[in-house]
Amino acid sequence: MSATMLDALLHIDEATTHEEREDLRDVLLNKRGVMTADYRDDRPHLMIVGFDPENINHKALVTTVQNRGYHAELIAM
């Protein structure tokens, strides 16, 4: 893993429960190159993901969320 970490801010369109956000966070954290994944319950549509760009890119993060059945897009990096 490189010493570089980028942050991606993802927007998830659907309303999710705390448990669904926990599950999604765990799925992201299990991806190679994802270092952090965090959300706040008072901002349930947003998730910040810290990742190593040498191992995973922002498109793969969005695809991972979409593969879980959510509509998601990158809104900041």
Side-chain angles (χ1 to χ4, degrees):
M1 224 182 263
S2 73
T4 303
M5 183 172 92
L6 298 178
D7 287 328
L9 180 60
L10 304 178
H11 182 271
I12 301 162
D13 294 344
E14 289 78 14
T16 57
T17 66
H18 176 82
E19 291 76 21
E20 290 168 330
R21 289 188 294 280
E22 287 282 305
D23 179 60
L24 185 55
R25 183 195 65 191
D26 292 345
V27 167
L28 287 164
L29 286 172
N30 283 317
K31 301 292 281 183
R32 182 171 184 251
V34 174
M35 301 168 176
T36 63
D38 199 17
Y39 65 88
R40 293 179 37 185
D41 282 330
D42 64 333
R43 306 253 187 224
H45 293 279
L46 301 177
M47 183 169 282
I48 299 173
V49 182
F51 65 99
D52 178 350
E54 289 185 14
N55 289 295
I56 193 167
N57 61 42
H58 65 280
K59 292 177 185 176
L61 299 174
V62 172
T63 298
T64 297
V65 175
Q66 291 172 340
N67 287 343
R68 301 294 291 181
Y70 301 107
H71 296 94
E73 54 272 336
L74 178 74
I75 59 172
M77 195 165 91

